[in-house]
């Protein structure tokens, strides 16, 4: 158990830092919303307050995603040179073969030839990165409660993110990123369809 903990913690530093950042915003916002709604007598007022706070959290999450995946990665001072180098090494910076990168990372974990942090943070981090979308979109936008529409929207969004990274030369364009991101969101979407969680979301004025 201790070895598992060491492997997990050493290989998940980037994910852990991201979760701590989100928690640093989520916890105060949720606590403030709870205290605010306690002072409201009408259910409609409580619902509006909760949904306004939830939407604010959604905006923060989207801003954090754009900053982490796009803005912080673009080399603005040497964009032309960076883009030229990126396209020169196009084969190294892209992958259009499904599950190829996943197999590479699994082998890296199995044989431990590049350490645990890179493969774990990429596999688990990519699966977790867009998971909050499975909560935000169905709760804020009623049509997104349909599986096919949610899956299609997420697929198009994830493809757009990868295409933007390719165009701006600010990250690897990898089909496995799309698959891992999509798998993570669909897992959470399915879990939140459990009846007791649906009831809980309604009690919290999120549905």
């Amino acid at each position: 158990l201790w070895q598992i903990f060491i492997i997990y913690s050493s290989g998940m530093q980037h994910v852990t830092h991201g979760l701590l950042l989100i928690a640093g915003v989520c916890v105060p916002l949720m606590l403030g919303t709870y205290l605010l709604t306690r002072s409201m007598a009408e259910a409609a007022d409580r619902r509006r307050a909760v949904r306004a706070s939830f939407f604010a959290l959604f905006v923060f999450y989207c801003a954090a995603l754009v900053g982490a995946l796009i803005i912080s990665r673009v080399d603005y001072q040497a964009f032309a040179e960076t883009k030229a180098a990126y396209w020169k090494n196009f084969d190294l910076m892209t992958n259009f073969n499904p599950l190829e990168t996943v197999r590479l990372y699994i082998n890296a974990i199995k044989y431990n030839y590049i350490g645990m942090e890179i493969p774990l943070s990429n596999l688990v981090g990519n699966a977790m990165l867009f998971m909050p979308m499975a909560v935000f979109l169905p709760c804020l936008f009623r049509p997104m409660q349909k599986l096919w529409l949610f899956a299609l929207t997420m697929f198009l969004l994830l493809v757009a993110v990868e295409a933007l990274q390719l165009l701006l030369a600010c990250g690897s364009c990898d089909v496995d990123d799309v698959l891992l991101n999509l798998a993570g969101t669909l897992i959470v979407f399915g879990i939140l369809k459990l009846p007791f969680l649906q009831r809980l979301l309604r009690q919290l004025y999120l549905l």
Side-chain angles (χ1 to χ4, degrees):
L1 289 175
W2 177 248
Q3 289 298 320
I4 292 174
F5 173 76
I6 293 298
I7 291 172
Y8 181 86
S9 60
S10 64
M12 293 288 292
Q13 291 181 10
H14 298 304
V15 177
T16 303
H17 293 162
L19 292 175
L20 288 175
L21 173 63
I22 294 173
V25 175
C26 288
V27 173
L29 184 62
M30 289 189 295
L31 179 59
T33 303
Y34 171 75
L35 294 175
L36 177 64
T37 54
R38 291 277 292 179
S39 65
M40 296 177 176
E42 297 294 331
D45 293 335
R46 292 196 294 269
R47 179 179 177 81
R48 280 194 293 270
V50 168
R51 293 186 70 80
S53 296
F54 199 60
F55 185 77
L57 189 59
F58 174 62
V59 172
F60 165 79
Y61 169 70
C62 289
L65 275 182
V66 172
L69 297 178
I70 306 296
I71 296 176
S72 65
R73 293 182 172 184
V74 177
D75 188 347
Y76 300 98
Q77 295 181 343
F79 179 74
E81 294 83 353
T82 302
K83 189 171 184 179
Y86 188 97
W87 285 94
K88 184 178 180 180
N89 298 288
F90 183 80
D91 291 341
L92 296 176
M93 301 302 296
T94 58
N95 169 45
F96 301 106
N97 298 317
L99 301 180
E100 181 176 323
T101 304
V102 171
R103 285 195 295 268
L104 289 175
Y105 283 137
I106 290 175
N107 286 333
I109 293 172
K110 182 178 179 180
Y111 299 109
N112 193 26
Y113 53 77
I114 59 172
M116 292 294 179
E117 182 176 356
I118 293 175
L120 274 180
S121 62
N122 278 277
L123 288 174
V124 181
N126 273 319
M128 295 176 63
L129 189 60
F130 284 85
M131 279 184 177
M133 284 294 190
V135 183
F136 285 122
L137 293 183
C139 289
L140 291 173
F141 310 102
R142 183 169 294 181
M144 290 296 167
Q145 294 177 18
K146 298 178 181 178
L147 174 60
W148 73 268
L149 184 57
F150 172 79
L152 178 61
T153 301
M154 284 305 307
F155 176 76
L156 294 176
L157 174 64
L158 294 170
V159 169
V161 169
E162 294 299 314
L164 194 57
Q165 289 181 334
L166 177 63
L167 292 174
L168 296 177
C170 61
S172 62
C173 180
D174 195 328
V175 66
D176 284 357
D177 288 350
V178 175
L179 296 178
L180 288 169
N181 295 155
L182 187 60
T185 59
L186 291 179
I187 289 171
V188 176
F189 185 91
I191 292 173
L192 291 179
K193 285 297 184 181
L194 294 174
F196 77 95
L197 289 177
Q198 290 284 296
R199 288 194 297 270
L200 177 61
L201 291 173
R202 290 190 178 91
Q203 291 172 0
L204 295 174
Y205 303 105
L206 294 176
L207 284 178

PDB file of all heavy atoms in Angstrom, residues 30-62:
ATOM      1  N   MET A  30     -18.338  27.555  -2.521  1.00  0.00           N
ATOM      2  CA  MET A  30     -19.446  26.728  -2.042  1.00  0.00           C
ATOM      3  C   MET A  30     -19.858  27.110  -0.629  1.00  0.00           C
ATOM      4  O   MET A  30     -21.042  27.146  -0.303  1.00  0.00           O
ATOM      5  CB  MET A  30     -19.052  25.248  -2.112  1.00  0.00           C
ATOM      6  CG  MET A  30     -18.976  24.702  -3.526  1.00  0.00           C
ATOM      7  SD  MET A  30     -18.763  22.904  -3.603  1.00  0.00           S
ATOM      8  CE  MET A  30     -17.132  22.729  -2.853  1.00  0.00           C
ATOM      9  N   LEU A  31     -18.864  27.399   0.220  1.00  0.00           N
ATOM     10  CA  LEU A  31     -19.177  27.796   1.588  1.00  0.00           C
ATOM     11  C   LEU A  31     -19.933  29.127   1.602  1.00  0.00           C
ATOM     12  O   LEU A  31     -20.925  29.280   2.326  1.00  0.00           O
ATOM     13  CB  LEU A  31     -17.884  27.923   2.407  1.00  0.00           C
ATOM     14  CG  LEU A  31     -18.044  28.354   3.872  1.00  0.00           C
ATOM     15  CD1 LEU A  31     -18.920  27.357   4.630  1.00  0.00           C
ATOM     16  CD2 LEU A  31     -16.687  28.481   4.546  1.00  0.00           C
ATOM     17  N   GLY A  32     -19.458  30.077   0.793  1.00  0.00           N
ATOM     18  CA  GLY A  32     -20.143  31.368   0.720  1.00  0.00           C
ATOM     19  C   GLY A  32     -21.560  31.227   0.192  1.00  0.00           C
ATOM     20  O   GLY A  32     -22.489  31.881   0.690  1.00  0.00           O
ATOM     21  N   THR A  33     -21.737  30.370  -0.813  1.00  0.00           N
ATOM     22  CA  THR A  33     -23.076  30.143  -1.373  1.00  0.00           C
ATOM     23  C   THR A  33     -23.987  29.499  -0.344  1.00  0.00           C
ATOM     24  O   THR A  33     -25.167  29.867  -0.212  1.00  0.00           O
ATOM     25  CB  THR A  33     -22.981  29.239  -2.618  1.00  0.00           C
ATOM     26  OG1 THR A  33     -22.110  29.851  -3.574  1.00  0.00           O
ATOM     27  CG2 THR A  33     -24.347  29.039  -3.245  1.00  0.00           C
ATOM     28  N   TYR A  34     -23.455  28.550   0.413  1.00  0.00           N
ATOM     29  CA  TYR A  34     -24.246  27.891   1.450  1.00  0.00           C
ATOM     30  C   TYR A  34     -24.716  28.902   2.505  1.00  0.00           C
ATOM     31  O   TYR A  34     -25.897  28.927   2.881  1.00  0.00           O
ATOM     32  CB  TYR A  34     -23.426  26.791   2.113  1.00  0.00           C
ATOM     33  CG  TYR A  34     -24.070  26.193   3.339  1.00  0.00           C
ATOM     34  CD1 TYR A  34     -25.139  25.304   3.227  1.00  0.00           C
ATOM     35  CD2 TYR A  34     -23.619  26.526   4.616  1.00  0.00           C
ATOM     36  CE1 TYR A  34     -25.741  24.773   4.345  1.00  0.00           C
ATOM     37  CE2 TYR A  34     -24.216  25.992   5.742  1.00  0.00           C
ATOM     38  CZ  TYR A  34     -25.273  25.115   5.609  1.00  0.00           C
ATOM     39  OH  TYR A  34     -25.867  24.583   6.728  1.00  0.00           O
ATOM     40  N   LEU A  35     -23.796  29.742   2.959  1.00  0.00           N
ATOM     41  CA  LEU A  35     -24.156  30.739   3.974  1.00  0.00           C
ATOM     42  C   LEU A  35     -25.172  31.740   3.431  1.00  0.00           C
ATOM     43  O   LEU A  35     -26.081  32.182   4.151  1.00  0.00           O
ATOM     44  CB  LEU A  35     -22.898  31.468   4.456  1.00  0.00           C
ATOM     45  CG  LEU A  35     -21.881  30.604   5.214  1.00  0.00           C
ATOM     46  CD1 LEU A  35     -20.629  31.406   5.539  1.00  0.00           C
ATOM     47  CD2 LEU A  35     -22.494  30.035   6.496  1.00  0.00           C
ATOM     48  N   LEU A  36     -25.004  32.088   2.134  1.00  0.00           N
ATOM     49  CA  LEU A  36     -25.941  33.032   1.520  1.00  0.00           C
ATOM     50  C   LEU A  36     -27.336  32.440   1.409  1.00  0.00           C
ATOM     51  O   LEU A  36     -28.332  33.093   1.740  1.00  0.00           O
ATOM     52  CB  LEU A  36     -25.428  33.439   0.134  1.00  0.00           C
ATOM     53  CG  LEU A  36     -26.325  34.380  -0.686  1.00  0.00           C
ATOM     54  CD1 LEU A  36     -26.468  35.723   0.020  1.00  0.00           C
ATOM     55  CD2 LEU A  36     -25.771  34.565  -2.087  1.00  0.00           C
ATOM     56  N   THR A  37     -27.419  31.199   0.946  1.00  0.00           N
ATOM     57  CA  THR A  37     -28.735  30.582   0.760  1.00  0.00           C
ATOM     58  C   THR A  37     -29.428  30.305   2.094  1.00  0.00           C
ATOM     59  O   THR A  37     -30.654  30.265   2.149  1.00  0.00           O
ATOM     60  CB  THR A  37     -28.613  29.261  -0.024  1.00  0.00           C
ATOM     61  OG1 THR A  37     -27.666  28.395   0.634  1.00  0.00           O
ATOM     62  CG2 THR A  37     -28.138  29.532  -1.439  1.00  0.00           C
ATOM     63  N   ARG A  38     -28.656  30.144   3.150  1.00  0.00           N
ATOM     64  CA  ARG A  38     -29.261  29.939   4.478  1.00  0.00           C
ATOM     65  C   ARG A  38     -30.068  31.149   4.921  1.00  0.00           C
ATOM     66  O   ARG A  38     -30.995  31.029   5.718  1.00  0.00           O
ATOM     67  CB  ARG A  38     -28.166  29.645   5.507  1.00  0.00           C
ATOM     68  CG  ARG A  38     -27.473  28.312   5.344  1.00  0.00           C
ATOM     69  CD  ARG A  38     -28.233  27.178   5.974  1.00  0.00           C
ATOM     70  NE  ARG A  38     -28.240  27.298   7.428  1.00  0.00           N
ATOM     71  CZ  ARG A  38     -28.846  26.447   8.254  1.00  0.00           C
ATOM     72  NH1 ARG A  38     -29.502  25.428   7.744  1.00  0.00           N
ATOM     73  NH2 ARG A  38     -28.804  26.614   9.552  1.00  0.00           N
ATOM     74  N   SER A  39     -29.698  32.315   4.407  1.00  0.00           N
ATOM     75  CA  SER A  39     -30.400  33.541   4.805  1.00  0.00           C
ATOM     76  C   SER A  39     -31.607  33.829   3.918  1.00  0.00           C
ATOM     77  O   SER A  39     -32.309  34.816   4.137  1.00  0.00           O
ATOM     78  CB  SER A  39     -29.437  34.727   4.737  1.00  0.00           C
ATOM     79  OG  SER A  39     -29.025  34.974   3.399  1.00  0.00           O
ATOM     80  N   MET A  40     -31.863  32.980   2.910  1.00  0.00           N
ATOM     81  CA  MET A  40     -32.970  33.204   1.980  1.00  0.00           C
ATOM     82  C   MET A  40     -34.153  32.317   2.338  1.00  0.00           C
ATOM     83  O   MET A  40     -33.996  31.124   2.584  1.00  0.00           O
ATOM     84  CB  MET A  40     -32.518  32.907   0.544  1.00  0.00           C
ATOM     85  CG  MET A  40     -31.426  33.823   0.046  1.00  0.00           C
ATOM     86  SD  MET A  40     -30.870  33.362  -1.616  1.00  0.00           S
ATOM     87  CE  MET A  40     -29.702  34.685  -1.946  1.00  0.00           C
ATOM     88  N   ALA A  41     -35.325  32.918   2.333  1.00  0.00           N
ATOM     89  CA  ALA A  41     -36.526  32.166   2.697  1.00  0.00           C
ATOM     90  C   ALA A  41     -37.143  31.461   1.493  1.00  0.00           C
ATOM     91  O   ALA A  41     -37.699  30.361   1.622  1.00  0.00           O
ATOM     92  CB  ALA A  41     -37.555  33.106   3.330  1.00  0.00           C
ATOM     93  N   GLU A  42     -37.065  32.064   0.318  1.00  0.00           N
ATOM     94  CA  GLU A  42     -37.712  31.525  -0.868  1.00  0.00           C
ATOM     95  C   GLU A  42     -36.796  30.528  -1.599  1.00  0.00           C
ATOM     96  O   GLU A  42     -35.605  30.801  -1.799  1.00  0.00           O
ATOM     97  CB  GLU A  42     -38.096  32.652  -1.823  1.00  0.00           C
ATOM     98  CG  GLU A  42     -39.101  33.624  -1.245  1.00  0.00           C
ATOM     99  CD  GLU A  42     -40.458  32.971  -1.002  1.00  0.00           C
ATOM    100  OE1 GLU A  42     -40.803  32.005  -1.743  1.00  0.00           O
ATOM    101  OE2 GLU A  42     -41.165  33.417  -0.081  1.00  0.00           O
ATOM    102  N   ALA A  43     -37.382  29.414  -2.010  1.00  0.00           N
ATOM    103  CA  ALA A  43     -36.612  28.400  -2.737  1.00  0.00           C
ATOM    104  C   ALA A  43     -36.119  28.941  -4.080  1.00  0.00           C
ATOM    105  O   ALA A  43     -35.022  28.595  -4.525  1.00  0.00           O
ATOM    106  CB  ALA A  43     -37.466  27.158  -2.956  1.00  0.00           C
ATOM    107  N   ALA A  44     -36.923  29.774  -4.728  1.00  0.00           N
ATOM    108  CA  ALA A  44     -36.531  30.338  -6.018  1.00  0.00           C
ATOM    109  C   ALA A  44     -35.290  31.206  -5.880  1.00  0.00           C
ATOM    110  O   ALA A  44     -34.403  31.193  -6.744  1.00  0.00           O
ATOM    111  CB  ALA A  44     -37.679  31.152  -6.613  1.00  0.00           C
ATOM    112  N   ASP A  45     -35.206  31.970  -4.787  1.00  0.00           N
ATOM    113  CA  ASP A  45     -34.030  32.811  -4.558  1.00  0.00           C
ATOM    114  C   ASP A  45     -32.795  31.962  -4.301  1.00  0.00           C
ATOM    115  O   ASP A  45     -31.696  32.275  -4.779  1.00  0.00           O
ATOM    116  CB  ASP A  45     -34.276  33.747  -3.366  1.00  0.00           C
ATOM    117  CG  ASP A  45     -35.356  34.778  -3.655  1.00  0.00           C
ATOM    118  OD1 ASP A  45     -35.555  35.086  -4.845  1.00  0.00           O
ATOM    119  OD2 ASP A  45     -35.972  35.260  -2.698  1.00  0.00           O
ATOM    120  N   ARG A  46     -32.986  30.882  -3.528  1.00  0.00           N
ATOM    121  CA  ARG A  46     -31.857  29.995  -3.258  1.00  0.00           C
ATOM    122  C   ARG A  46     -31.370  29.336  -4.549  1.00  0.00           C
ATOM    123  O   ARG A  46     -30.169  29.208  -4.772  1.00  0.00           O
ATOM    124  CB  ARG A  46     -32.254  28.920  -2.239  1.00  0.00           C
ATOM    125  CG  ARG A  46     -32.517  29.468  -0.846  1.00  0.00           C
ATOM    126  CD  ARG A  46     -32.524  28.356   0.188  1.00  0.00           C
ATOM    127  NE  ARG A  46     -33.646  27.450  -0.007  1.00  0.00           N
ATOM    128  CZ  ARG A  46     -34.829  27.595   0.569  1.00  0.00           C
ATOM    129  NH1 ARG A  46     -35.049  28.628   1.373  1.00  0.00           N
ATOM    130  NH2 ARG A  46     -35.793  26.720   0.356  1.00  0.00           N
ATOM    131  N   ARG A  47     -32.302  28.943  -5.390  1.00  0.00           N
ATOM    132  CA  ARG A  47     -31.940  28.313  -6.662  1.00  0.00           C
ATOM    133  C   ARG A  47     -31.137  29.270  -7.542  1.00  0.00           C
ATOM    134  O   ARG A  47     -30.121  28.892  -8.129  1.00  0.00           O
ATOM    135  CB  ARG A  47     -33.205  27.853  -7.386  1.00  0.00           C
ATOM    136  CG  ARG A  47     -32.932  27.201  -8.741  1.00  0.00           C
ATOM    137  CD  ARG A  47     -34.235  26.756  -9.395  1.00  0.00           C
ATOM    138  NE  ARG A  47     -33.991  26.207 -10.718  1.00  0.00           N
ATOM    139  CZ  ARG A  47     -33.580  24.973 -10.957  1.00  0.00           C
ATOM    140  NH1 ARG A  47     -33.369  24.144  -9.953  1.00  0.00           N
ATOM    141  NH2 ARG A  47     -33.373  24.561 -12.190  1.00  0.00           N
ATOM    142  N   ARG A  48     -31.588  30.527  -7.628  1.00  0.00           N
ATOM    143  CA  ARG A  48     -30.879  31.516  -8.440  1.00  0.00           C
ATOM    144  C   ARG A  48     -29.471  31.755  -7.911  1.00  0.00           C
ATOM    145  O   ARG A  48     -28.511  31.873  -8.679  1.00  0.00           O
ATOM    146  CB  ARG A  48     -31.666  32.819  -8.492  1.00  0.00           C
ATOM    147  CG  ARG A  48     -32.824  32.820  -9.481  1.00  0.00           C
ATOM    148  CD  ARG A  48     -33.335  34.220  -9.716  1.00  0.00           C
ATOM    149  NE  ARG A  48     -33.970  34.772  -8.523  1.00  0.00           N
ATOM    150  CZ  ARG A  48     -35.257  34.643  -8.230  1.00  0.00           C
ATOM    151  NH1 ARG A  48     -36.060  33.983  -9.075  1.00  0.00           N
ATOM    152  NH2 ARG A  48     -35.755  35.173  -7.143  1.00  0.00           N
ATOM    153  N   ALA A  49     -29.338  31.832  -6.587  1.00  0.00           N
ATOM    154  CA  ALA A  49     -28.021  32.075  -5.986  1.00  0.00           C
ATOM    155  C   ALA A  49     -27.072  30.911  -6.254  1.00  0.00           C
ATOM    156  O   ALA A  49     -25.907  31.112  -6.599  1.00  0.00           O
ATOM    157  CB  ALA A  49     -28.173  32.309  -4.483  1.00  0.00           C
ATOM    158  N   VAL A  50     -27.580  29.694  -6.083  1.00  0.00           N
ATOM    159  CA  VAL A  50     -26.747  28.507  -6.308  1.00  0.00           C
ATOM    160  C   VAL A  50     -26.303  28.428  -7.762  1.00  0.00           C
ATOM    161  O   VAL A  50     -25.127  28.193  -8.063  1.00  0.00           O
ATOM    162  CB  VAL A  50     -27.505  27.229  -5.896  1.00  0.00           C
ATOM    163  CG1 VAL A  50     -26.771  25.987  -6.391  1.00  0.00           C
ATOM    164  CG2 VAL A  50     -27.663  27.173  -4.385  1.00  0.00           C
ATOM    165  N   ARG A  51     -27.241  28.643  -8.676  1.00  0.00           N
ATOM    166  CA  ARG A  51     -26.915  28.523 -10.089  1.00  0.00           C
ATOM    167  C   ARG A  51     -25.988  29.644 -10.554  1.00  0.00           C
ATOM    168  O   ARG A  51     -25.140  29.439 -11.433  1.00  0.00           O
ATOM    169  CB  ARG A  51     -28.192  28.463 -10.924  1.00  0.00           C
ATOM    170  CG  ARG A  51     -28.994  27.182 -10.662  1.00  0.00           C
ATOM    171  CD  ARG A  51     -30.185  27.062 -11.584  1.00  0.00           C
ATOM    172  NE  ARG A  51     -29.768  26.802 -12.957  1.00  0.00           N
ATOM    173  CZ  ARG A  51     -29.421  25.611 -13.415  1.00  0.00           C
ATOM    174  NH1 ARG A  51     -29.393  24.551 -12.604  1.00  0.00           N
ATOM    175  NH2 ARG A  51     -29.088  25.451 -14.670  1.00  0.00           N
ATOM    176  N   ALA A  52     -26.122  30.830  -9.979  1.00  0.00           N
ATOM    177  CA  ALA A  52     -25.211  31.932 -10.310  1.00  0.00           C
ATOM    178  C   ALA A  52     -23.794  31.602  -9.855  1.00  0.00           C
ATOM    179  O   ALA A  52     -22.816  31.826 -10.589  1.00  0.00           O
ATOM    180  CB  ALA A  52     -25.697  33.230  -9.672  1.00  0.00           C
ATOM    181  N   SER A  53     -23.659  31.042  -8.663  1.00  0.00           N
ATOM    182  CA  SER A  53     -22.343  30.654  -8.154  1.00  0.00           C
ATOM    183  C   SER A  53     -21.763  29.516  -8.986  1.00  0.00           C
ATOM    184  O   SER A  53     -20.563  29.489  -9.283  1.00  0.00           O
ATOM    185  CB  SER A  53     -22.442  30.226  -6.692  1.00  0.00           C
ATOM    186  OG  SER A  53     -22.845  31.307  -5.879  1.00  0.00           O
ATOM    187  N   PHE A  54     -22.620  28.583  -9.368  1.00  0.00           N
ATOM    188  CA  PHE A  54     -22.177  27.444 -10.170  1.00  0.00           C
ATOM    189  C   PHE A  54     -21.708  27.905 -11.543  1.00  0.00           C
ATOM    190  O   PHE A  54     -20.707  27.412 -12.075  1.00  0.00           O
ATOM    191  CB  PHE A  54     -23.322  26.437 -10.295  1.00  0.00           C
ATOM    192  CG  PHE A  54     -22.869  25.062 -10.701  1.00  0.00           C
ATOM    193  CD1 PHE A  54     -21.981  24.343  -9.910  1.00  0.00           C
ATOM    194  CD2 PHE A  54     -23.341  24.476 -11.865  1.00  0.00           C
ATOM    195  CE1 PHE A  54     -21.566  23.072 -10.275  1.00  0.00           C
ATOM    196  CE2 PHE A  54     -22.933  23.209 -12.237  1.00  0.00           C
ATOM    197  CZ  PHE A  54     -22.035  22.514 -11.442  1.00  0.00           C
ATOM    198  N   PHE A  55     -22.415  28.879 -12.116  1.00  0.00           N
ATOM    199  CA  PHE A  55     -22.009  29.408 -13.410  1.00  0.00           C
ATOM    200  C   PHE A  55     -20.671  30.152 -13.297  1.00  0.00           C
ATOM    201  O   PHE A  55     -19.822  30.059 -14.187  1.00  0.00           O
ATOM    202  CB  PHE A  55     -23.084  30.345 -13.968  1.00  0.00           C
ATOM    203  CG  PHE A  55     -22.789  30.845 -15.352  1.00  0.00           C
ATOM    204  CD1 PHE A  55     -22.983  30.035 -16.458  1.00  0.00           C
ATOM    205  CD2 PHE A  55     -22.289  32.123 -15.547  1.00  0.00           C
ATOM    206  CE1 PHE A  55     -22.701  30.488 -17.736  1.00  0.00           C
ATOM    207  CE2 PHE A  55     -22.001  32.590 -16.814  1.00  0.00           C
ATOM    208  CZ  PHE A  55     -22.211  31.771 -17.919  1.00  0.00           C
ATOM    209  N   ALA A  56     -20.489  30.883 -12.185  1.00  0.00           N
ATOM    210  CA  ALA A  56     -19.214  31.574 -11.957  1.00  0.00           C
ATOM    211  C   ALA A  56     -18.067  30.573 -11.861  1.00  0.00           C
ATOM    212  O   ALA A  56     -16.973  30.803 -12.383  1.00  0.00           O
ATOM    213  CB  ALA A  56     -19.292  32.416 -10.685  1.00  0.00           C
ATOM    214  N   LEU A  57     -18.335  29.449 -11.214  1.00  0.00           N
ATOM    215  CA  LEU A  57     -17.320  28.397 -11.107  1.00  0.00           C
ATOM    216  C   LEU A  57     -17.026  27.794 -12.483  1.00  0.00           C
ATOM    217  O   LEU A  57     -15.865  27.485 -12.799  1.00  0.00           O
ATOM    218  CB  LEU A  57     -17.804  27.321 -10.147  1.00  0.00           C
ATOM    219  CG  LEU A  57     -16.796  26.239  -9.748  1.00  0.00           C
ATOM    220  CD1 LEU A  57     -15.586  26.863  -9.079  1.00  0.00           C
ATOM    221  CD2 LEU A  57     -17.450  25.229  -8.821  1.00  0.00           C
ATOM    222  N   PHE A  58     -18.050  27.649 -13.301  1.00  0.00           N
ATOM    223  CA  PHE A  58     -17.882  27.144 -14.664  1.00  0.00           C
ATOM    224  C   PHE A  58     -17.000  28.085 -15.488  1.00  0.00           C
ATOM    225  O   PHE A  58     -16.116  27.634 -16.227  1.00  0.00           O
ATOM    226  CB  PHE A  58     -19.255  26.986 -15.312  1.00  0.00           C
ATOM    227  CG  PHE A  58     -19.216  26.614 -16.766  1.00  0.00           C
ATOM    228  CD1 PHE A  58     -18.637  25.422 -17.177  1.00  0.00           C
ATOM    229  CD2 PHE A  58     -19.768  27.448 -17.728  1.00  0.00           C
ATOM    230  CE1 PHE A  58     -18.605  25.070 -18.516  1.00  0.00           C
ATOM    231  CE2 PHE A  58     -19.740  27.106 -19.066  1.00  0.00           C
ATOM    232  CZ  PHE A  58     -19.154  25.910 -19.459  1.00  0.00           C
ATOM    233  N   VAL A  59     -17.224  29.386 -15.357  1.00  0.00           N
ATOM    234  CA  VAL A  59     -16.413  30.370 -16.072  1.00  0.00           C
ATOM    235  C   VAL A  59     -14.958  30.292 -15.620  1.00  0.00           C
ATOM    236  O   VAL A  59     -14.029  30.320 -16.443  1.00  0.00           O
ATOM    237  CB  VAL A  59     -16.970  31.793 -15.863  1.00  0.00           C
ATOM    238  CG1 VAL A  59     -16.017  32.841 -16.435  1.00  0.00           C
ATOM    239  CG2 VAL A  59     -18.340  31.925 -16.510  1.00  0.00           C
ATOM    240  N   PHE A  60     -14.736  30.155 -14.309  1.00  0.00           N
ATOM    241  CA  PHE A  60     -13.366  30.028 -13.791  1.00  0.00           C
ATOM    242  C   PHE A  60     -12.696  28.772 -14.338  1.00  0.00           C
ATOM    243  O   PHE A  60     -11.540  28.809 -14.751  1.00  0.00           O
ATOM    244  CB  PHE A  60     -13.381  29.972 -12.262  1.00  0.00           C
ATOM    245  CG  PHE A  60     -12.082  29.495 -11.669  1.00  0.00           C
ATOM    246  CD1 PHE A  60     -11.006  30.352 -11.556  1.00  0.00           C
ATOM    247  CD2 PHE A  60     -11.933  28.181 -11.252  1.00  0.00           C
ATOM    248  CE1 PHE A  60      -9.797  29.909 -11.031  1.00  0.00           C
ATOM    249  CE2 PHE A  60     -10.734  27.732 -10.725  1.00  0.00           C
ATOM    250  CZ  PHE A  60      -9.665  28.605 -10.618  1.00  0.00           C
ATOM    251  N   TYR A  61     -13.432  27.672 -14.361  1.00  0.00           N
ATOM    252  CA  TYR A  61     -12.884  26.412 -14.862  1.00  0.00           C
ATOM    253  C   TYR A  61     -12.496  26.533 -16.335  1.00  0.00           C
ATOM    254  O   TYR A  61     -11.411  26.096 -16.745  1.00  0.00           O
ATOM    255  CB  TYR A  61     -13.914  25.302 -14.653  1.00  0.00           C
ATOM    256  CG  TYR A  61     -13.588  24.010 -15.351  1.00  0.00           C
ATOM    257  CD1 TYR A  61     -12.535  23.207 -14.936  1.00  0.00           C
ATOM    258  CD2 TYR A  61     -14.339  23.586 -16.448  1.00  0.00           C
ATOM    259  CE1 TYR A  61     -12.238  22.019 -15.580  1.00  0.00           C
ATOM    260  CE2 TYR A  61     -14.057  22.401 -17.098  1.00  0.00           C
ATOM    261  CZ  TYR A  61     -13.002  21.619 -16.659  1.00  0.00           C
ATOM    262  OH  TYR A  61     -12.712  20.448 -17.301  1.00  0.00           O
ATOM    263  N   CYS A  62     -13.367  27.143 -17.140  1.00  0.00           N
ATOM    264  CA  CYS A  62     -13.068  27.319 -18.568  1.00  0.00           C
ATOM    265  C   CYS A  62     -11.855  28.222 -18.758  1.00  0.00           C
ATOM    266  O   CYS A  62     -10.992  27.947 -19.607  1.00  0.00           O
ATOM    267  CB  CYS A  62     -14.281  27.910 -19.284  1.00  0.00           C
ATOM    268  SG  CYS A  62     -15.670  26.765 -19.441  1.00  0.00           S
TER     269      CYS A  62
END
